[in-house]
Amino acid sequence: MAESIHTVKRAIIMAAGLGNRMHPLTLSTPKPLIRVNGTRMIDSVVSALRKNGIYEIYVVAGYLKEQFHEWAKDQEGVTVIENPYFDTCNNISSLYCAREHLENSIILDGDQIINNEKILDPGFTRSGYNAVWSEGETDEWLMQVEDGIVKSCSRTGGSHGWQLFSVSRWSSEDARTMKELLELEFEKNMRRDVYWDDIPMFLHPDRFTLGIRIMNREDILEIDSLEELQKIDSSYLNIKGE
């Protein structure tokens, strides 16, 4: 791996979503605050960040935001940013609300379990996403990479490519570009229905030269539904989905 030339100074945790696929649990608790085998998902993320020396942490909250404010009272270095658009816009709105903190940042979701804190290492050479090689078919976003540079991305998946995961690092220069484009798309173009990742991957790929950070699939545990949670934590087996 090439020598790191950038260092993550701060983290932005996306935590504003409704978590509909985990009803009825998320009717009263935001998904990142749900406990998995005794540990809240977001605590796994924050703990891994701190183990990497990243203590300036911004949590973008929307749905049941009061619970994040309460949680943050005991979290040194954590600031809650409220997203007032969470229930009418896609997650481009969350990064738009946190756009002043993008420089030298790591952006990740709050509703996952970090099994290997090394994947959040603060050193990086190029802005870009953590990725796992996918030999077989997947319907997740799949990147094609040549000589360490992302050349294209398929939002419908495929095979023989690098699956994009929701952990990404952004240099100061790329962060300033991202901020400019967030304001362009969200304010001027009124593009409210897209993911923020659409900006570097599909809307303005010519403005970025991205790399990837290779990891193993088991390094992150993504839990998308109540059924998946029940397979991991048997204490939820008596809960019936809606």
Side-chain angles (χ1 to χ4, degrees):
M1 180 180 293
E3 184 179 354
S4 300
I5 59 174
H6 305 291
T7 303
V8 168
K9 302 295 185 185
R10 57 195 56 84
I12 298 172
I13 300 177
M14 311 289 266
L18 298 169
N20 290 332
R21 294 181 63 190
M22 211 168 276
H23 281 182
L25 297 176
T26 48
L27 292 175
S28 56
T29 305
K31 187 180 173 186
L33 294 181
I34 289 176
R35 294 183 182 272
V36 180
N37 295 316
T39 301
R40 289 173 295 205
M41 295 189 204
I42 198 170
D43 287 339
S44 161
V45 176
V46 170
S47 174
L49 288 168
R50 288 172 174 160
K51 288 176 181 177
N52 283 282
I54 304 168
Y55 298 101
E56 182 183 339
I57 300 171
Y58 300 90
V59 176
V60 185
Y63 177 62
L64 300 176
K65 63 182 182 294
E66 297 81 6
Q67 294 188 35
F68 287 101
H69 284 291
E70 188 64 29
W71 164 81
K73 289 179 180 179
D74 300 322
Q75 302 291 329
E76 185 176 354
V78 172
T79 300
V80 176
I81 297 173
E82 294 188 9
N83 174 5
Y85 316 99
F86 76 92
D87 55 348
T88 58
C89 302
N90 211 326
N91 80 355
I92 187 175
S93 63
S94 285
L95 200 62
Y96 172 80
C97 291
R99 65 192 185 281
E100 300 298 336
H101 308 289
L102 284 172
E103 293 194 23
N104 291 314
S105 70
I106 186 169
I107 305 171
L108 63 174
D109 289 344
D111 59 350
Q112 55 191 355
I113 301 294
I114 306 296
N115 290 324
N116 178 9
E117 68 270 11
K118 293 180 180 179
I119 65 171
L120 304 187
D121 186 286
F124 63 108
T125 55
R126 292 187 184 277
S127 301
Y129 291 81
N130 279 32
V132 170
W133 176 254
S134 182
E135 187 75 18
E137 289 289 333
T138 178
D139 57 4
E140 301 291 341
W141 286 19
L142 205 66
M143 298 176 287
Q144 297 301 318
V145 179
E146 297 178 11
D147 298 323
I149 305 297
V150 177
K151 296 298 184 179
S152 64
C153 182
S154 167
R155 68 168 70 250
T156 56
S159 64
H160 300 88
W162 292 95
Q163 181 182 336
L164 179 154
F165 277 74
S166 58
V167 174
S168 62
R169 296 164 178 81
W170 301 91
S171 67
S172 290
E173 181 180 358
D174 288 328
R176 288 191 289 269
T177 301
M178 180 72 76
K179 180 177 182 291
E180 170 198 334
L181 296 174
L182 279 165
E183 292 171 349
L184 170 69
E185 297 297 347
F186 195 79
E187 296 175 5
K188 183 178 179 181
N189 294 342
M190 297 295 290
R191 202 183 291 267
R192 306 293 177 90
D193 59 345
V194 299
Y195 296 106
W196 72 264
D197 315 87
D198 279 287
I199 289 177
M201 286 297 166
F202 303 112
L203 298 176
H204 302 279
D206 57 314
R207 299 289 302 275
F208 300 90
T209 302
L210 302 181
I212 61 171
R213 173 65 65 94
I214 298 172
M215 67 176 194
N216 297 315
R217 194 169 298 275
E218 61 269 19
D219 290 340
I220 290 182
L221 178 60
E222 295 183 332
I223 305 172
D224 293 325
S225 66
L226 176 61
E227 292 73 23
E228 290 181 10
L229 176 61
Q230 290 170 328
K231 292 177 182 178
I232 297 162
D233 187 338
S234 60
S235 68
Y236 293 103
L237 286 174
N238 62 334
I239 305 293
K240 291 186 177 181
E242 295 187 348

